[in-house]
């Protein structure tokens, strides 16, 4: 039985999952950094929600649960 193609597909899949997770953590970190700025402009929450596709509720939850820089836990 030749499993080389299966192994290659599994490897590509795992790499894609890892890249997706890293991108999610980066997006969270950048969103949190913007929203925790001292000089946060009016409408920033709306802008971050539009850019990320996350609701205001999801962003509030993110601010409550995500550490200062979520990438520190990688």
């Amino acid at each position: 039985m030749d499993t080389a193609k299966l192994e290659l597909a599994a490897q590509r899949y795992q790499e894609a999952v890892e890249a997706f997770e890293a991108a999610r953590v980066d997006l969270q970190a950048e969103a949190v950094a913007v929203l925790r700025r001292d000089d946060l402009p009016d409408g920033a929450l709306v802008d971050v929600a539009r850019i990320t596709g996350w609701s205001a509720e999801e962003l509030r939850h993110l601010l409550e649960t995500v550490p200062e820089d979520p990438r520190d836990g990688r």
Side-chain angles (χ1 to χ4, degrees), residues 3-4 7 10-11 14-15 28-29 32-33 44-45 48 50 52 56 59 73:
T3 59
E7 288 178 12
Q11 180 182 351
Q14 187 57 42
E15 290 169 356
Q28 285 181 334
V32 166
L45 184 67
V48 172
R50 177 185 54 78
T52 62
L59 291 171

Side-chain angles (χ1 to χ4, degrees), residues 13-34:
Y13 174 81
Q14 187 57 42
E15 290 169 356
V17 167
E18 291 168 4
F20 181 78
E21 176 63 14
R24 183 190 60 78
V25 171
D26 287 344
L27 184 58
Q28 285 181 334
E30 294 303 327
V32 166
V34 167

Side-chain angles (χ1 to χ4, degrees), residues 32-70:
V32 166
V34 167
L35 295 173
R36 288 187 176 156
R37 285 179 39 189
D38 290 334
D39 60 342
L40 189 65
D42 291 341
L45 184 67
V46 172
D47 287 341
V48 172
R50 177 185 54 78
I51 292 167
T52 62
W54 297 330
S55 69
E57 177 79 19
E58 289 171 310
L59 291 171
R60 286 187 196 95
H61 178 72
L62 189 68
L63 284 169
E64 294 170 0
T65 59
V66 171
E68 200 61 35
D69 187 344

